[in-house]
Amino acid sequence: RRLWIPSKLAYGERPMAGAPAGDLVFDIELLEIIQPLEAPKDLKKPPADAKKTASGLVYKFLKHGAGKEHPKPASVATVNYSGWTKDGKMFDSSVVRGTPAKFSVDGVIKGWTEGLELMVAGDQMRLWIPADLAYGQKPTRPGAPVGDLVFDVELVEFH
């Protein structure tokens, strides 16, 4: 399908650096429709058997791995994850993309760093992360979700 997009529905006449100006034409082909994962039922309130850290992070193991070592802040972790806002909207998922993510344990939001340090390889955990350990109530990163967040995280490996 070919789409002719007027400037006002694209990036405008004076876009940010790197974006094209004016009217645009796109040729697109829909290859696949990927359904989002079903949101966990306990997004709004963690279950009674979930644990809470001093910082306010709440977590529950969904599956225990066989590892013995825990990642350190400088470790590079490979994870599968999905994240939801408390109203049930998925905002990101390596699972849906079909590719695990890799990053430094200390290079993510505070709630993730703290949660990953509690895990061993093979663990699956649900994290209820308060806004102050996530992106906050007024994120400075464009497109970041607002407020309290919930993540399902599987620590595949780390080094």
Side-chain angles (χ1 to χ4, degrees):
R1 187 155 305 235
R2 180 164 288 155
L3 303 176
W4 289 267
I5 303 173
S7 174
K8 67 182 179 183
L9 296 177
Y11 299 102
E13 294 298 333
R14 294 189 196 129
M16 294 174 40
D23 298 342
L24 301 175
V25 178
F26 284 92
D27 286 339
I28 62 169
E29 176 183 3
L30 178 62
L31 299 175
E32 180 180 13
I33 297 175
I34 299 172
Q35 297 298 323
L37 300 174
E38 187 174 323
K41 303 285 186 237
D42 54 9
L43 286 178
K44 292 184 185 198
K45 183 179 178 190
D49 62 342
K51 296 179 181 176
K52 187 173 186 177
T53 68
S55 70
L57 173 70
V58 179
Y59 67 96
K60 179 177 179 170
F61 284 94
L62 304 174
K63 179 183 168 195
H64 288 284
K68 302 255 188 260
E69 306 268 332
H70 296 272
K72 307 275 189 269
S75 298
V76 174
T78 300
V79 298
N80 286 309
Y81 70 92
S82 297
W84 295 269
T85 55
K86 290 243 177 159
D87 61 0
K89 292 181 182 153
M90 179 185 288
F91 59 86
D92 193 10
S93 176
S94 70
V95 176
V96 171
R97 286 191 302 275
T99 305
K102 270 188 180 181
F103 47 77
S104 175
V105 171
D106 63 358
V108 291
I109 58 175
K110 292 176 186 176
W112 262 70
T113 299
E114 186 176 353
L116 286 169
E117 290 176 332
L118 297 170
M119 300 174 79
V120 298
D123 277 349
Q124 292 179 17
M125 183 184 280
R126 183 161 297 145
L127 304 171
W128 290 265
I129 302 177
D132 61 326
L133 297 178
Y135 300 99
Q137 294 295 351
K138 294 181 180 180
T140 55
R141 191 187 100 193
V146 175
D148 299 344
L149 304 175
V150 178
F151 286 92
D152 281 357
V153 180
E154 174 190 14
L155 180 56
V156 176
E157 63 180 10
F158 64 92
H159 59 275

